[in-house]
Amino acid sequence: MSSTHLIGKTVLVVEDDPKIRKLISLYLENEGYEVTEAADGKDAKVKIEKFDPCILILDLMLPNISGEEICRWVREDLKSVMPIIILSAKVSEKERIRGFKLGADDYVIKPFSPGELMVRIEAVLRRTASRCGKLSFTGFTIKPVKGEAQINGEKLELTHFEFKLLHALMQHPNQILSREQILQLIYEKNEKVVSDRTIDVHIKHLREKIKEKTPKDYIQTVRGMGYKFVGV
């Protein structure tokens, strides 16, 4: 199974059983996700506000604050549309319906297959792709809705075009994009388009700004073909 197209998505796993939590995290990391963990409801609230994950894997039976309360808090207090997958040993139809009414996007019954959970995560992220534009790689985060980019916690000062260019590349990690493909990703129909060779100039400036923050070469040139963003 491959989820290359979903690399860069951040996942918060909230589960009080350390074995289950670590198992889920291991599978997610092997699929290229960036994972944060919480062992109880109180820590979950802190990490939701701090990391703004793209999807929440939420156990219902948690210490301090229940998963149901966390789900309600996310939907009602934060007014967040963050995708949520509930994990629960409660198997009745009544409990599943209750979970969906709380705002869950999927409900997975324990015990579960880690492989099936990965497929369900992919499916939920596809259905809810418009909810989370944030992309995170090791040390590199971009938030298109806010127009922010950071490397190791430091803000990257970019022009509007440089930001759009970086976003286009990061949406297709480890894939070679030609100049023409990049322009198609950046511009809407009927919008005035710059020359494809202008891309080279902007790439040069973008690289220079990135290298001021880190020695890692995130944007690579593939001679005769184009450019690619190397996220891992």
Side-chain angles (χ1 to χ4, degrees), residues 62-105:
L62 294 171
N64 299 322
I65 302 173
S66 73
E68 291 180 351
E69 289 180 64
I70 292 293
C71 199
R72 190 179 297 110
W73 173 73
V74 168
R75 294 292 186 243
E76 296 180 6
D77 294 347
L78 294 185
K79 308 296 183 186
S80 173
V81 292
M82 172 195 312
I84 299 174
I85 296 180
I86 284 177
L87 301 179
S88 179
K90 298 177 180 180
V91 301
S92 71
E93 180 183 15
K94 181 180 178 180
E95 291 295 345
R96 294 198 305 274
I97 290 173
R98 176 175 169 77
F100 285 115
K101 284 186 174 181
L102 284 169
D105 294 272

Side-chain angles (χ1 to χ4, degrees), residues 30-47:
N30 285 342
E31 290 296 319
Y33 295 94
E34 183 175 312
V35 184
T36 302
E37 299 178 11
D40 59 56
K42 186 177 180 180
D43 191 30
K45 290 182 74 172
V46 170
K47 288 179 176 174

Side-chain angles (χ1 to χ4, degrees), residues 105-122:
D105 294 272
D106 202 351
Y107 191 105
V108 177
I109 296 171
K110 294 180 177 180
F112 56 85
S113 156
E116 180 184 350
L117 178 60
M118 296 304 108
V119 172
R120 285 175 177 261
I121 290 170
E122 286 192 13

Side-chain angles (χ1 to χ4, degrees), residues 150-166:
Q150 293 183 341
I151 295 179
N152 299 323
E154 291 187 61
K155 188 176 180 180
L156 198 59
E157 298 290 348
L158 304 174
T159 66
H160 180 63
F161 189 88
E162 287 167 353
F163 187 88
K164 291 174 71 174
L165 176 57
L166 177 62

Side-chain angles (χ1 to χ4, degrees), residues 41-60:
K42 186 177 180 180
D43 191 30
K45 290 182 74 172
V46 170
K47 288 179 176 174
I48 286 169
E49 291 190 307
K50 182 178 180 180
F51 296 107
D52 186 25
C54 280
I55 186 167
L56 178 61
I57 311 303
L58 181 65
D59 181 28
L60 288 184

Side-chain angles (χ1 to χ4, degrees), residues 130-178:
S130 62
R131 297 191 199 171
C132 178
K134 185 179 78 170
L135 295 171
S136 295
F137 298 86
T138 305
F140 207 138
T141 301
I142 185 170
K143 298 180 180 180
V145 174
K146 294 184 177 181
E148 296 177 359
Q150 293 183 341
I151 295 179
N152 299 323
E154 291 187 61
K155 188 176 180 180
L156 198 59
E157 298 290 348
L158 304 174
T159 66
H160 180 63
F161 189 88
E162 287 167 353
F163 187 88
K164 291 174 71 174
L165 176 57
L166 177 62
H167 186 213
L169 290 168
M170 288 181 73
Q171 284 181 304
H172 300 81
N174 307 314
Q175 296 180 37
I176 301 170
L177 297 177
S178 67

